[in-house]
Amino acid sequence: MEWLSEFGAIAAMQGFNGLSVFCVLLLMALGLAIIFGQMGVINMAHGEFLTIGAYTTYLLSSLTLDYFPALQPYYFFFAIALSFVVAGAVGWLVEWAMISRLYNRPLDTLLATWGLSLFMQQGFRSIFGAREVSATPPEWLMGSFSLSDAIDIPRNGVFTMALTVLMTGAVFVLLYRSRWGLQVRATVQNRMMSRAVGINTRKVDRMTFALGCGIAGVAGAAFTTIGSTGPTAGSLYIVDTFLVVVFGGAQSLFGTIASAFAIAQTQSVSEFFMSGSMAKVLTLSAVILILMLRPQGLFTSKVRK
């Protein structure tokens, strides 16, 4: 029975690793679900906004260690807020300068944002260099909680999960319990009628895009607790993030959560039994099979025709 207990401990650790991946994927997918699901914009540069958040956290970490070491235990909370603001501000500028001219042209937005992602990656290389960098986490984020002799739960994973729950709740309140969210949903369902009743749809689009990018920035801050940051760090998540949004249903918040959990857990558990590449193939094959049976995704929003 000893082997059974060891297998259970390993399965529990792999499951928790899957939860850590789930948190980053969900934070990324929440932003993309707002941009792609609510606005219909295919943002191939979404991963780079994660990178902006990660580099913002790294810079704040370095400045705190060099000039304000007494604030080191608290800087991470400021880093999360600053990552949201910086990524959101860049997203606002991108929507104003480029995306606003490409609405109702999905192929053009795909090509334009793909070019933007390459431009941003080169900008990261020029500013920060090609080597990966790591933020120094506060001491309270280091170490783990021991649930048993064989199971240790990392503190940074617990914090990332708490942050994800908080952000998910905030997005739900914004979209379904606020006047701004009502304007967003009205604009999605009927743009011309929304204009007729006095909704500034251009402002709604700009703020929606900025919000989605800001949430990706928060995902970047969370990412620094589980990995190092490089110019292409965000692009590694973009395919999985699109899978999450399409698989769950482009306009469904609950579908985004469910599909992020399913994909992250499937990939994490399968990586224990096979190579990382084969785990990716297995996950992608399962998603494609389900989408062949249900092309609209697992969950769809009911819209009156």
Side-chain angles (χ1 to χ4, degrees), residues 33-46:
I34 292 172
I35 294 172
F36 178 55
Q38 303 292 334
M39 301 175 63
V41 174
I42 304 174
N43 183 18
M44 293 300 293
H46 194 68

PDB file of all heavy atoms in Angstrom, residues 33-46:
ATOM      1  N   ALA A  33     -11.000  36.865 -23.322  1.00  0.00           N
ATOM      2  CA  ALA A  33     -12.427  36.647 -23.492  1.00  0.00           C
ATOM      3  C   ALA A  33     -13.168  37.971 -23.618  1.00  0.00           C
ATOM      4  O   ALA A  33     -14.143  38.086 -24.366  1.00  0.00           O
ATOM      5  CB  ALA A  33     -12.982  35.844 -22.311  1.00  0.00           C
ATOM      6  N   ILE A  34     -12.687  38.981 -22.890  1.00  0.00           N
ATOM      7  CA  ILE A  34     -13.305  40.308 -22.998  1.00  0.00           C
ATOM      8  C   ILE A  34     -13.036  40.910 -24.374  1.00  0.00           C
ATOM      9  O   ILE A  34     -13.926  41.467 -25.028  1.00  0.00           O
ATOM     10  CB  ILE A  34     -12.772  41.228 -21.884  1.00  0.00           C
ATOM     11  CG1 ILE A  34     -13.279  40.745 -20.513  1.00  0.00           C
ATOM     12  CG2 ILE A  34     -13.196  42.674 -22.111  1.00  0.00           C
ATOM     13  CD1 ILE A  34     -12.658  41.468 -19.348  1.00  0.00           C
ATOM     14  N   ILE A  35     -11.785  40.779 -24.838  1.00  0.00           N
ATOM     15  CA  ILE A  35     -11.402  41.388 -26.116  1.00  0.00           C
ATOM     16  C   ILE A  35     -11.967  40.608 -27.301  1.00  0.00           C
ATOM     17  O   ILE A  35     -12.565  41.183 -28.220  1.00  0.00           O
ATOM     18  CB  ILE A  35      -9.867  41.481 -26.219  1.00  0.00           C
ATOM     19  CG1 ILE A  35      -9.330  42.463 -25.176  1.00  0.00           C
ATOM     20  CG2 ILE A  35      -9.443  41.914 -27.619  1.00  0.00           C
ATOM     21  CD1 ILE A  35      -7.818  42.486 -25.080  1.00  0.00           C
ATOM     22  N   PHE A  36     -11.794  39.296 -27.285  1.00  0.00           N
ATOM     23  CA  PHE A  36     -12.234  38.460 -28.405  1.00  0.00           C
ATOM     24  C   PHE A  36     -13.725  38.148 -28.313  1.00  0.00           C
ATOM     25  O   PHE A  36     -14.464  38.293 -29.285  1.00  0.00           O
ATOM     26  CB  PHE A  36     -11.414  37.167 -28.423  1.00  0.00           C
ATOM     27  CG  PHE A  36     -11.810  36.202 -29.508  1.00  0.00           C
ATOM     28  CD1 PHE A  36     -11.831  36.596 -30.837  1.00  0.00           C
ATOM     29  CD2 PHE A  36     -12.166  34.903 -29.201  1.00  0.00           C
ATOM     30  CE1 PHE A  36     -12.197  35.702 -31.837  1.00  0.00           C
ATOM     31  CE2 PHE A  36     -12.530  34.003 -30.191  1.00  0.00           C
ATOM     32  CZ  PHE A  36     -12.545  34.405 -31.511  1.00  0.00           C
ATOM     33  N   GLY A  37     -14.178  37.748 -27.114  1.00  0.00           N
ATOM     34  CA  GLY A  37     -15.573  37.366 -26.968  1.00  0.00           C
ATOM     35  C   GLY A  37     -16.524  38.536 -27.038  1.00  0.00           C
ATOM     36  O   GLY A  37     -17.572  38.456 -27.682  1.00  0.00           O
ATOM     37  N   GLN A  38     -16.176  39.642 -26.376  1.00  0.00           N
ATOM     38  CA  GLN A  38     -17.082  40.790 -26.332  1.00  0.00           C
ATOM     39  C   GLN A  38     -16.914  41.734 -27.514  1.00  0.00           C
ATOM     40  O   GLN A  38     -17.861  42.391 -27.927  1.00  0.00           O
ATOM     41  CB  GLN A  38     -16.866  41.572 -25.026  1.00  0.00           C
ATOM     42  CG  GLN A  38     -17.048  40.762 -23.761  1.00  0.00           C
ATOM     43  CD  GLN A  38     -18.489  40.328 -23.543  1.00  0.00           C
ATOM     44  OE1 GLN A  38     -19.418  40.960 -24.003  1.00  0.00           O
ATOM     45  NE2 GLN A  38     -18.665  39.231 -22.838  1.00  0.00           N
ATOM     46  N   MET A  39     -15.679  41.814 -28.059  1.00  0.00           N
ATOM     47  CA  MET A  39     -15.409  42.789 -29.121  1.00  0.00           C
ATOM     48  C   MET A  39     -15.190  42.149 -30.485  1.00  0.00           C
ATOM     49  O   MET A  39     -15.255  42.832 -31.507  1.00  0.00           O
ATOM     50  CB  MET A  39     -14.176  43.635 -28.761  1.00  0.00           C
ATOM     51  CG  MET A  39     -14.299  44.403 -27.452  1.00  0.00           C
ATOM     52  SD  MET A  39     -12.771  45.249 -27.021  1.00  0.00           S
ATOM     53  CE  MET A  39     -12.613  46.395 -28.387  1.00  0.00           C
ATOM     54  N   GLY A  40     -14.884  40.846 -30.522  1.00  0.00           N
ATOM     55  CA  GLY A  40     -14.627  40.180 -31.790  1.00  0.00           C
ATOM     56  C   GLY A  40     -13.277  40.501 -32.385  1.00  0.00           C
ATOM     57  O   GLY A  40     -13.066  40.288 -33.585  1.00  0.00           O
ATOM     58  N   VAL A  41     -12.338  40.992 -31.574  1.00  0.00           N
ATOM     59  CA  VAL A  41     -10.997  41.341 -32.042  1.00  0.00           C
ATOM     60  C   VAL A  41     -10.044  40.194 -31.736  1.00  0.00           C
ATOM     61  O   VAL A  41      -9.937  39.750 -30.587  1.00  0.00           O
ATOM     62  CB  VAL A  41     -10.489  42.632 -31.368  1.00  0.00           C
ATOM     63  CG1 VAL A  41      -9.032  42.904 -31.744  1.00  0.00           C
ATOM     64  CG2 VAL A  41     -11.356  43.807 -31.770  1.00  0.00           C
ATOM     65  N   ILE A  42      -9.359  39.689 -32.758  1.00  0.00           N
ATOM     66  CA  ILE A  42      -8.379  38.617 -32.574  1.00  0.00           C
ATOM     67  C   ILE A  42      -7.041  39.271 -32.234  1.00  0.00           C
ATOM     68  O   ILE A  42      -6.322  39.750 -33.112  1.00  0.00           O
ATOM     69  CB  ILE A  42      -8.258  37.748 -33.842  1.00  0.00           C
ATOM     70  CG1 ILE A  42      -9.633  37.201 -34.232  1.00  0.00           C
ATOM     71  CG2 ILE A  42      -7.272  36.615 -33.632  1.00  0.00           C
ATOM     72  CD1 ILE A  42      -9.647  36.442 -35.546  1.00  0.00           C
ATOM     73  N   ASN A  43      -6.709  39.297 -30.957  1.00  0.00           N
ATOM     74  CA  ASN A  43      -5.509  39.999 -30.484  1.00  0.00           C
ATOM     75  C   ASN A  43      -4.358  39.020 -30.314  1.00  0.00           C
ATOM     76  O   ASN A  43      -4.192  38.399 -29.261  1.00  0.00           O
ATOM     77  CB  ASN A  43      -5.810  40.706 -29.157  1.00  0.00           C
ATOM     78  CG  ASN A  43      -4.618  41.506 -28.662  1.00  0.00           C
ATOM     79  OD1 ASN A  43      -3.706  41.815 -29.431  1.00  0.00           O
ATOM     80  ND2 ASN A  43      -4.615  41.847 -27.389  1.00  0.00           N
ATOM     81  N   MET A  44      -3.533  38.879 -31.343  1.00  0.00           N
ATOM     82  CA  MET A  44      -2.386  37.978 -31.279  1.00  0.00           C
ATOM     83  C   MET A  44      -1.262  38.539 -30.411  1.00  0.00           C
ATOM     84  O   MET A  44      -0.304  37.828 -30.101  1.00  0.00           O
ATOM     85  CB  MET A  44      -1.853  37.711 -32.695  1.00  0.00           C
ATOM     86  CG  MET A  44      -2.799  36.923 -33.580  1.00  0.00           C
ATOM     87  SD  MET A  44      -3.188  35.279 -32.911  1.00  0.00           S
ATOM     88  CE  MET A  44      -1.586  34.492 -33.032  1.00  0.00           C
ATOM     89  N   ALA A  45      -1.353  39.797 -30.017  1.00  0.00           N
ATOM     90  CA  ALA A  45      -0.341  40.407 -29.149  1.00  0.00           C
ATOM     91  C   ALA A  45      -0.734  40.331 -27.678  1.00  0.00           C
ATOM     92  O   ALA A  45      -0.087  40.956 -26.835  1.00  0.00           O
ATOM     93  CB  ALA A  45      -0.113  41.873 -29.551  1.00  0.00           C
ATOM     94  N   HIS A  46      -1.771  39.562 -27.365  1.00  0.00           N
ATOM     95  CA  HIS A  46      -2.244  39.516 -25.984  1.00  0.00           C
ATOM     96  C   HIS A  46      -1.160  38.998 -25.034  1.00  0.00           C
ATOM     97  O   HIS A  46      -1.049  39.456 -23.898  1.00  0.00           O
ATOM     98  CB  HIS A  46      -3.489  38.637 -25.896  1.00  0.00           C
ATOM     99  CG  HIS A  46      -4.245  38.783 -24.615  1.00  0.00           C
ATOM    100  ND1 HIS A  46      -4.928  39.923 -24.272  1.00  0.00           N
ATOM    101  CD2 HIS A  46      -4.407  37.926 -23.563  1.00  0.00           C
ATOM    102  CE1 HIS A  46      -5.493  39.777 -23.086  1.00  0.00           C
ATOM    103  NE2 HIS A  46      -5.190  38.577 -22.628  1.00  0.00           N
TER     104      HIS A  46
END
